[in-house]
Amino acid sequence: MDLNMAKKRAEELHALLNQYSYEYYVLDKPSVPDSEYDRLLQELIRLEDQYPELKTPNSPTQRIGGKPLEGFQKVTHRLPMLSLSNAFNEQDLRDFDRRVREKIGPDYAYVCELKIDGLAVSLRYENGLFVQGSTRGDGTTGEDITQNLRTIRSIPLQLNEPITIEVRGEVYMPKKSFEALNRERAEKGEELFANPRNAAAGSLRQLDPKVAASRNLDVFLYAIGEHGPLDIKKHSDGLALLDRLGLKTNKERRVCQSIDEVLAYIEEWQGKRPSLPYEIDGIVIKVDRYDHQQILGETVKSPRWAIAYKFPAEEVVTKLIDIELSVGRTGVVTPTAILEPVRVAGTTVQRASLHNEDLIKEKDIRLGDFVVVRKAGDIIPEVVRAISERRTGREVPFSMPTHCPECGSELVRLDEEVALRCINPKCPAQIREGLIHFASRNAMNIDGLGERVITQLFEAKLIEDVADLYKLKREDLLPLERMGEKSVTNLLNAIQASKKNSLERLLFGLGIRHVGAKAAKILAQHFGHLDKLKMATEEELQGINEIGEKMAQSIVAYFRLPEVQELVEELRQVGVNFEYQGANLETTLQSASILAGKTVVLTGKLERMTRNEAKERLEALGANVTGSVSKKTDILIAGEDAGSKLTKAQQLGIEIWDEERLLQELNK
């Protein structure tokens, strides 16, 4: 076959494979068996191997993922990707409807759509070809994730018409894919994803597209962004256009002529929600006509013509079989409810948080009770209350033990805390949990060293403290279950690589009481070296902004312990880095940002990012983010519903920014 014949055949294969993908992934109506699709794909791969010039970015063969990226490039959205205001009850929706009616009169309709719990993305097509995909980011600037989006088979690489258009939607992970992924991660001893949304977001932000390709992601497109001339006058017509172009939309949408019809739609889908193969967390309501949307306009944060109704946390009833106790790395003994398996917000739940002994007594929760369970924030299962009217008399009140369930030491309450603690430093549960924390993502970030592997190493008596991790040898690991040559090599390489981490990761990983990730960075930046921090006095520590009395006492007490001094020397001998490797304070203050060296307070609700995201970005520019307003505060950033902090800042004459002003500075 010469080049011309190969080119013609490749075009035929493109058309066939795109058609079959559309039928399978968008219409859910495959016309050929999987084996036929695979046969044609292999034929195309062979042609492209023989004639590399036939391989294009939009070839169906490119869905398997290309070479790993070094990092994500920034993308500026030509039209901002605004977030939606939220409604939590019927009155919020009727207030929204009243505002719409007052502005545009009685002649209007709404489009109701399921609110997919995923990650918002923008897809750009030029002359019908997919050229760029990006995350929403802060609404103005996102990240280029084109390679990862190409791996999602429901995203067409070529539209049915040669149109230039930007479309917006939600990438999500189906429930089955999520459950399979977490099973696989559990087997590898890796940290589980909390929910499908986190899993989808984590998959799209993988630098290796092959990882994203393996995660079985999907998409629903729900809006048109920037575009050329289009002869459509309604949002519902726009969704029909997306269908015509071969893009996947959610077919459960409905045009409603009144707010009462909207409420009926919400009630219907609140009941149907568990039966869906994907997670939803609410309903999006949009004014249908585009001219009405223009009249209503938008704020800097959100459109006035749309609102998102958020479902209340789903509650279910099941039986409490037992209460299990676990000992954390700080010695806190935590009770966990063991339940008869029950589906809650899309996943099967068998364990739920009971927080502490006082809460159990306050709610009068007994062994054998029927209890109401929900997922806080649709993520963490918790026991809400016991159903006392269903008691038979066989239920048993629960009492916390007086001694540690792991080592038998007496449990105590420190500083009038609610929690009971084991204060035995040799308690095996604390040692094991401390090791898990040390290797975790926010600490030393040792890939492959999850809870299962650490438990295995601990039970095999290969490790007793964190320094022992750096003494592990290949011959120690190979006899262990699920430890082949490749996994052992990868684990040892990851442990070696962690030696080079900056000081703040080591400090956080050591698990010093009251020292979180932020405090660890402040301390590392201030002292520069672990040896200097070891010698610091309480007075010196309290002189550092945001280091209080309790933390200072805890740090000094920690480094006085003989076993800690011995551990530090062991870590030194195995070559763990003790120096801070980030920008020091002097360097940061020389940064071009006007935020460098400023004391900043965040208050109120931000629409385009979380408070944590804002805090991280401010600190990256050299700002010192604190929690309270004082005369030392330079800037207050006030989001929606800012309260007493805003009033105090106004009284003190402190400079006040809104979120838009903050974004302008962050995006410079």
Side-chain angles (χ1 to χ4, degrees), residues 369-388:
D369 267 339
F370 282 94
V371 293
V372 175
V373 178
R374 71 177 176 207
K375 283 188 180 178
D378 274 353
I379 298 172
I380 303 169
E382 64 178 0
V383 176
V384 181
R385 63 184 179 278
I387 305 176
S388 56

Side-chain angles (χ1 to χ4, degrees), residues 524-535:
Q525 192 176 49
H526 181 87
F527 289 99
H529 197 283
L530 185 65
D531 288 341
K532 291 183 179 178
L533 173 60
K534 272 174 52 190
M535 303 304 294

Side-chain angles (χ1 to χ4, degrees), residues 168 227 582:
R168 292 166 177 185
H227 59 83

Side-chain angles (χ1 to χ4, degrees), residues 125 127 161-166 224-233 238 241 244-245 290:
Y125 289 85
N127 299 316
E161 300 175 22
I163 187 173
T164 295
I165 192 172
E166 179 212 353
I224 297 171
E226 189 184 33
H227 59 83
L230 293 176
D231 187 23
I232 51 175
K233 294 180 169 51
L241 171 64
R244 196 171 74 239
L245 292 173
Y290 289 148

Side-chain angles (χ1 to χ4, degrees), residues 595 598-602 618 623-627 633-637:
L595 289 161
K598 301 287 188 184
T599 298
V600 179
V601 174
L602 291 157
L618 285 163
N624 175 35
V625 183
T626 64
T633 305
D634 296 302
I635 300 168
L636 178 86
I637 296 164

Side-chain angles (χ1 to χ4, degrees), residues 159-217:
L159 300 178
N160 293 337
E161 300 175 22
I163 187 173
T164 295
I165 192 172
E166 179 212 353
V167 295
R168 292 166 177 185
E170 201 88 359
V171 168
Y172 66 94
M173 182 173 284
K175 291 176 181 177
K176 283 186 178 178
S177 301
F178 172 69
E179 290 165 6
L181 175 61
N182 264 355
R183 277 198 303 272
E184 181 184 322
R185 292 177 73 84
E187 288 169 4
K188 293 179 180 176
E190 296 174 346
E191 185 179 357
L192 303 187
F193 284 110
N195 53 50
R197 186 194 184 282
N198 287 6
S203 302
L204 282 180
R205 297 204 74 259
Q206 292 287 331
L207 291 173
D208 186 351
K210 287 186 173 64
V211 176
S214 71
R215 297 283 175 84
N216 298 312
L217 299 173

